[in-house]
């Protein structure tokens, strides 16, 4: 055990580059909003909902996740969600977050898109001094590419507030290449691109993401099975936003000691630590850092590299990156 074994990861200035705003809906807030909006729930209490969060796989998780999304109805609901997440992340030592939000999940007459976007950007602006944040659009890979293109168009009024577009949802049978037109359209409009790949899907999907010119890959675990691909990721410094606790809860890995993060890091890949859906996976950013440090016995130098990778992998301007690098180096000086 190194001297960092007792390190308080809340004190580490961190990025969280792979987090879904919908996945930050804590059971208590979920129940409060359900009551406010008169929406029946299949669970009797927040504790029972937490109990239900023992998922076998991604599909089991998504069923509960989409149910949770149903309670978000009014502008106030979306504001409360975004504000609570940013407060919690800031308290957790996250200095910069890039979060996904998918308006496709909330296409109801009762909830105008403009109200949702206003609520989220309002919370981001109010919290600006405590945590910098970027909004990323995302679409579902289980739906047709035409729908993804439509979702991209619908966000046009807010393009100046959006930094990137990604894609998530059940992975197997829905390879990134099927969405080439969507990613091309994102790039043409000046956005950075991300895609979930190699979580439950194969290394071949990560390869496809690289071939598509994707800027940042979410998860990417399966790439470890393809040494040539690992070399390519390292050479091009294509970041992987890994989510250790999420992987454990969804049985992407049986134990964190078998997580590929450390092996990828040692081969020069720009791997980062992130939270994914912290309310449902019962772990925020610093919990992920502590868990992966404990399981993989990371050295001080490795922790420092991981933290710096988070800054490198972010879509921040260089000036802000330089500030964050200095913050990290003050907390984790090189030996
Ligand atoms: Zn994700």
């Amino acid at each position: 055990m190194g001297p960092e074994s007792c390190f308080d990861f809340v004190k580490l200035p961190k990025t969280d580059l792979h987090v879904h705003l919908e996945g930050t809906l804590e059971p208590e807030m979920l129940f409060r909003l359900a009551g406010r909006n008169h929406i029946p729930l299949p669970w009797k209490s927040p504790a029972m909902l937490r109990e239900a969060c023992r998922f076998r796989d991604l599909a089991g998780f998504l069923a509960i996740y989409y149910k949770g999304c149903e309670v978000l109805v009014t502008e106030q609901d979306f504001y409360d969600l975004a504000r609570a997440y940013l407060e919690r992340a800031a308290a957790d030592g996250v200095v910069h977050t890039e979060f996904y939000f998918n308006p496709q999940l909330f296409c109801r007459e009762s909830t105008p898109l403009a109200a949702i976007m206003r609520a989220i950007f309002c919370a981001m602006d109010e919290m600006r001094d405590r945590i910098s944040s970027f909004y990323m659009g995302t679409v579902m890979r289980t739906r047709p590419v035409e729908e993804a293109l439509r979702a991209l168009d619908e966000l046009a009024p807010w393009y100046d507030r959006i930094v990137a577009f990604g894609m998530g949802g059940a992975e197997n049978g829905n390879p990134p290449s099927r969405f080439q037109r969507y990613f091309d359209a994102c790039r043409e409009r000046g956005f950075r691109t991300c895609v979930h790949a190699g979580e439950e899907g194969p290394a071949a999907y990560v390869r496809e993401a690289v071939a598509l010119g994707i800027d940042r890959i979410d998860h990417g675990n399966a790439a470890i099975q393809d040494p040539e691909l690992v070399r390519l990721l390292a050479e091009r410094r294509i970041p992987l936003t890994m989510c250790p606790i999420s992987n454990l809860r969804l049985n992407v890995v049986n134990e964190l000691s078998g997580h590929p993060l450390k092996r990828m890091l040692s081969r020069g890949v720009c791997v980062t630590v992130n939270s994914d859906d912290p309310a449902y996976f019962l772990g925020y950013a610093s919990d992920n850092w502590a868990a992966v440090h404990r399981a993989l016995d990371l050295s001080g130098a490795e922790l420092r590299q991981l933290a710096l990778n988070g800054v490198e992998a972010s879509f921040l301007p260089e000036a802000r990156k330089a500030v964050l690098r200095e913050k990290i180096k003050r907390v984790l000086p090189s030996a």
Side-chain angles (χ1 to χ4, degrees):
M1 298 268 267
E4 284 76 25
S5 57
C6 307
F7 191 80
D8 177 6
F9 285 99
V10 173
K11 295 203 177 87
L12 175 69
K14 295 173 288 298
T15 55
D16 195 355
L17 308 177
H18 177 175
V19 53
H20 303 267
L21 188 59
E22 303 92 327
T24 68
L25 178 60
E26 286 289 326
E28 287 73 18
M29 182 182 280
L30 193 154
F31 270 75
R32 200 160 60 242
L33 298 186
R36 198 150 94 182
N37 297 318
H38 312 290
I39 292 165
L41 293 174
W43 314 283
K44 287 206 164 59
S45 66
M48 280 182 70
L49 168 53
R50 279 208 174 83
E51 198 57 35
C53 289
R54 294 173 192 271
F55 313 107
R56 264 198 305 274
D57 53 24
L58 185 63
F61 156 66
L62 289 174
I64 293 187
Y65 180 77
Y66 294 141
K67 185 78 206 165
C69 289
E70 287 177 21
V71 308
L72 291 153
V73 180
T74 68
E75 182 169 345
Q76 184 70 42
D77 299 342
F78 290 95
Y79 171 80
D80 289 352
L81 176 72
R83 176 81 194 210
Y85 163 62
L86 291 169
E87 296 257 6
R88 184 152 185 170
D92 193 38
V94 175
V95 288
H96 175 67
T97 177
E98 298 182 358
F99 64 81
Y100 286 117
F101 180 77
N102 182 0
Q104 276 182 308
L105 300 172
F106 307 95
C107 294
R108 313 180 204 109
E109 262 175 53
S110 55
T111 317
L113 182 58
I116 296 176
M117 302 305 279
R118 193 163 53 229
I120 295 173
F121 294 135
C122 174
M124 290 166 71
D125 290 343
E126 285 176 4
M127 289 294 292
R128 184 176 285 157
D129 292 342
R130 288 172 57 199
I131 179 170
S132 60
S133 58
F134 284 159
Y135 177 107
M136 298 188 290
T138 185
V139 295
M140 283 164 71
R141 69 201 312 153
T142 47
R143 297 190 183 175
V145 65
E146 289 74 20
E147 207 174 304
L149 289 164
R150 206 157 47 237
L152 178 64
D153 283 341
E154 277 168 8
L155 287 172
W158 301 280
Y159 277 176
D160 61 332
R161 298 285 322 244
I162 301 173
V163 68
F165 277 86
M167 188 175 79
E171 196 181 346
N172 279 318
N174 300 300
S177 55
R178 195 160 74 73
F179 283 77
Q180 171 148 19
R181 282 201 292 146
Y182 163 69
F183 291 116
D184 286 347
C186 291
R187 248 190 310 268
E188 277 162 23
R189 288 163 169 78
F191 295 112
R192 312 299 292 270
T193 52
C194 307
V195 66
H196 283 57
E199 180 188 15
E200 53 164 14
Y205 285 13
V206 181
R207 260 197 187 275
E208 280 190 11
V210 173
L212 286 168
I214 300 294
D215 292 301
R216 194 165 78 195
I217 295 168
D218 295 313
H219 295 294
N221 298 46
I224 195 74
Q225 290 149 19
D226 181 344
E228 189 52 44
L229 176 58
V230 171
R231 260 196 297 279
L232 195 64
L233 292 169
E235 198 178 281
R236 299 195 192 168
R237 292 294 285 170
I238 299 169
L240 302 183
T241 61
M242 301 193 115
C243 307
I245 292 179
S246 160
N247 292 160
L248 190 64
R249 302 265 181 233
L250 297 181
N251 291 315
V252 172
V253 293
N254 297 325
E255 291 178 273
L256 276 185
S257 57
H259 198 282
L261 178 136
K262 185 170 172 163
R263 282 172 282 159
M264 298 272 209
L265 185 68
S266 73
R267 290 173 210 179
V269 180
C270 184
V271 292
T272 61
V273 179
N274 310 275
S275 69
D276 208 1
D277 298 286
Y280 293 96
F281 300 143
L282 317 172
Y284 282 79
S286 61
D287 300 316
N288 273 275
W289 278 84
V292 84
H293 175 47
R294 213 165 31 240
L296 300 176
D297 193 22
L298 300 170
S299 70
E302 286 170 322
L303 292 173
R304 188 172 189 265
Q305 187 60 53
L306 273 175
L308 292 172
N309 282 353
V311 175
E312 179 185 337
S314 76
F315 298 136
L316 283 166
E318 189 46 47
R320 171 82 176 145
K321 283 187 176 182
V323 170
L324 296 187
R325 274 190 212 105
E326 286 315 305
K327 277 182 195 270
I328 291 166
K329 287 173 183 173
R330 273 200 295 275
V331 176
L332 287 175
S334 56

PDB file of all heavy atoms in Angstrom, residues 18 20 196 218-219 276-277, ligand 1:
ATOM      1  N   HIS A  18     -17.912  12.008 -18.077  1.00  0.00           N
ATOM      2  CA  HIS A  18     -18.885  11.019 -18.547  1.00  0.00           C
ATOM      3  C   HIS A  18     -19.901  10.834 -17.437  1.00  0.00           C
ATOM      4  O   HIS A  18     -19.723  10.012 -16.551  1.00  0.00           O
ATOM      5  CB  HIS A  18     -18.155   9.710 -18.892  1.00  0.00           C
ATOM      6  CG  HIS A  18     -19.084   8.603 -19.317  1.00  0.00           C
ATOM      7  ND1 HIS A  18     -18.618   7.387 -19.764  1.00  0.00           N
ATOM      8  CD2 HIS A  18     -20.440   8.532 -19.364  1.00  0.00           C
ATOM      9  CE1 HIS A  18     -19.641   6.609 -20.068  1.00  0.00           C
ATOM     10  NE2 HIS A  18     -20.765   7.273 -19.819  1.00  0.00           N
ATOM     11  N   HIS A  20     -24.325  11.309 -16.916  1.00  0.00           N
ATOM     12  CA  HIS A  20     -25.628  11.599 -17.528  1.00  0.00           C
ATOM     13  C   HIS A  20     -26.466  12.322 -16.489  1.00  0.00           C
ATOM     14  O   HIS A  20     -26.691  11.789 -15.394  1.00  0.00           O
ATOM     15  CB  HIS A  20     -26.317  10.305 -17.956  1.00  0.00           C
ATOM     16  CG  HIS A  20     -25.496   9.486 -18.900  1.00  0.00           C
ATOM     17  ND1 HIS A  20     -25.629   9.591 -20.267  1.00  0.00           N
ATOM     18  CD2 HIS A  20     -24.504   8.590 -18.685  1.00  0.00           C
ATOM     19  CE1 HIS A  20     -24.746   8.768 -20.846  1.00  0.00           C
ATOM     20  NE2 HIS A  20     -24.056   8.147 -19.918  1.00  0.00           N
ATOM     21  N   HIS A 196     -20.492   6.014 -26.783  1.00  0.00           N
ATOM     22  CA  HIS A 196     -20.319   4.883 -25.869  1.00  0.00           C
ATOM     23  C   HIS A 196     -19.925   3.677 -26.723  1.00  0.00           C
ATOM     24  O   HIS A 196     -20.635   3.338 -27.673  1.00  0.00           O
ATOM     25  CB  HIS A 196     -21.632   4.563 -25.159  1.00  0.00           C
ATOM     26  CG  HIS A 196     -21.979   5.504 -24.047  1.00  0.00           C
ATOM     27  ND1 HIS A 196     -22.095   6.853 -24.225  1.00  0.00           N
ATOM     28  CD2 HIS A 196     -22.217   5.272 -22.728  1.00  0.00           C
ATOM     29  CE1 HIS A 196     -22.408   7.411 -23.053  1.00  0.00           C
ATOM     30  NE2 HIS A 196     -22.493   6.474 -22.133  1.00  0.00           N
ATOM     31  N   ASP A 218     -16.559   6.809 -24.746  1.00  0.00           N
ATOM     32  CA  ASP A 218     -17.086   6.543 -23.411  1.00  0.00           C
ATOM     33  C   ASP A 218     -16.978   5.053 -23.110  1.00  0.00           C
ATOM     34  O   ASP A 218     -17.433   4.225 -23.900  1.00  0.00           O
ATOM     35  CB  ASP A 218     -18.538   7.036 -23.327  1.00  0.00           C
ATOM     36  CG  ASP A 218     -18.625   8.558 -23.465  1.00  0.00           C
ATOM     37  OD1 ASP A 218     -17.834   9.253 -22.789  1.00  0.00           O
ATOM     38  OD2 ASP A 218     -19.451   9.047 -24.258  1.00  0.00           O
ATOM     39  N   HIS A 219     -16.356   4.742 -21.996  1.00  0.00           N
ATOM     40  CA  HIS A 219     -16.033   3.370 -21.554  1.00  0.00           C
ATOM     41  C   HIS A 219     -14.805   2.850 -22.323  1.00  0.00           C
ATOM     42  O   HIS A 219     -13.693   3.129 -21.929  1.00  0.00           O
ATOM     43  CB  HIS A 219     -17.221   2.404 -21.668  1.00  0.00           C
ATOM     44  CG  HIS A 219     -18.352   2.757 -20.769  1.00  0.00           C
ATOM     45  ND1 HIS A 219     -18.247   2.693 -19.400  1.00  0.00           N
ATOM     46  CD2 HIS A 219     -19.613   3.196 -21.045  1.00  0.00           C
ATOM     47  CE1 HIS A 219     -19.407   3.069 -18.864  1.00  0.00           C
ATOM     48  NE2 HIS A 219     -20.242   3.396 -19.842  1.00  0.00           N
ATOM     49  N   ASP A 276     -20.614   8.324 -14.639  1.00  0.00           N
ATOM     50  CA  ASP A 276     -21.678   7.734 -15.466  1.00  0.00           C
ATOM     51  C   ASP A 276     -23.082   8.078 -14.941  1.00  0.00           C
ATOM     52  O   ASP A 276     -23.646   9.074 -15.359  1.00  0.00           O
ATOM     53  CB  ASP A 276     -21.479   6.215 -15.587  1.00  0.00           C
ATOM     54  CG  ASP A 276     -22.054   5.660 -16.882  1.00  0.00           C
ATOM     55  OD1 ASP A 276     -22.590   6.437 -17.686  1.00  0.00           O
ATOM     56  OD2 ASP A 276     -21.951   4.433 -17.103  1.00  0.00           O
ATOM     57  N   ASP A 277     -23.653   7.247 -14.088  1.00  0.00           N
ATOM     58  CA  ASP A 277     -24.995   7.502 -13.541  1.00  0.00           C
ATOM     59  C   ASP A 277     -24.931   7.349 -12.023  1.00  0.00           C
ATOM     60  O   ASP A 277     -25.414   6.358 -11.462  1.00  0.00           O
ATOM     61  CB  ASP A 277     -26.003   6.505 -14.139  1.00  0.00           C
ATOM     62  CG  ASP A 277     -26.115   6.666 -15.647  1.00  0.00           C
ATOM     63  OD1 ASP A 277     -26.733   7.645 -16.086  1.00  0.00           O
ATOM     64  OD2 ASP A 277     -25.552   5.824 -16.372  1.00  0.00           O
TER      65      ASP A 277
HETATM   66 ZN1  LIG B   1     -22.690   6.502 -20.005  1.00  0.00          ZN
END
